[in-house]
Amino acid sequence: MKKFACVSLIALSLALFGCAEQQQKVKSEDSVEVETQEQKAGTSAVKADVFEDGIDEGKFQQLLASFPATVPNKMATTSVPLTEMLHLLDIVPVGVPTSTNPIPADFDAVTRIGSPMAPDLEVISSLQTELIIGASSLQDSLDKALQGMNLQAAYLPTDSFEDLKLSFKVLGTYFGKEEKMNEVLKNIIEKEQELAKLAQGKELPSVMLVIGTSDDFMVMNDKSYLGSLVQQLGANNIAKSVLKTESTYSAINLEEIVVADPDMIFVLASGDHGANEDKFKQEVAKNSAWTQLSAYKNDKIYMLDYSIFGVTSITNVDTALTTIADYFLE
């Protein structure tokens, strides 16, 4: 009998132990579950804080990978738009390009290294430059100029509105300036969204973009900086939709333009760059076909400020977008 009681007592103890163990297991699993949910919530919170900039991730990673693994102490740039970006990110290069286009005043004391296409190699060498950053559009020329030099080079696109955002993100990320980078990019995106709201439900005009050169006037498609701004705002650029131009800049064919009959014409002309408003008026006077256009009849031909629209500029992009939108929505 005593033996039976002892066995029963042992069995009861084991059962109670097993129950406690099971409860502990359930409790542990519940804790893990709670922790997992908390982790998920935390992850969601982090994701919610990530800034959606709309920049092509593939292009971003590809360009970022083209930079040296080790961030250099001394870097120079041959591009005015990239110089401007470095200034916004509080990064001071050892050399900046020599250009008629404005360089940030804070860089007045920074050494000029020559033209964007053909920088002064002796000056670059004397600055002990470890990396030179140039515009992708001039890569072939720069690569030839830098042949024989023990110097790393990286190239970023600067031709369009999207190029500016992409390249700015690459520079901000590479040099560890994400906070300032996101501040600037958020402001740009907010301006885009604001203007997009204003344009909702409104029929935007068809436009033709003209640029004056030293020889003549040419039509610009969406690959140009001004064209990319028009595209961003959702208007119809006849160079793309009707004329089907492949090149960024194409010769003016007035017969085709009369058929396309744009609602507005934007003219980018500067005396410093070979053409001005008077020269455009002479161009119109030479050919009566201009007077057949709706834009001419309705007084919708606008001369644009070259300092705002002639050079890609991340600092001026807010003003550029707003100015064009004002014409569209007036």
Side-chain angles (χ1 to χ4, degrees), residues 161 164 191 195 225-226 228-230 233 266 304-305 307-328:
F161 173 70
L164 291 180
K191 175 56 67 174
L195 296 175
Y225 176 50
L226 179 55
S228 70
L229 295 174
V230 167
L233 293 169
F266 293 112
L304 298 181
D305 185 345
S307 66
I308 300 296
F309 297 97
V311 180
T312 50
S313 164
I314 199 162
T315 299
N316 291 334
V317 73
D318 188 309
T319 301
L321 280 169
T322 304
T323 301
I324 296 297
D326 285 346
Y327 284 123
F328 290 168

Side-chain angles (χ1 to χ4, degrees), residues 143-154:
D143 279 344
K144 289 177 183 177
L146 298 174
Q147 274 183 349
M149 290 190 72
N150 184 24
L151 177 63
Q152 296 184 95

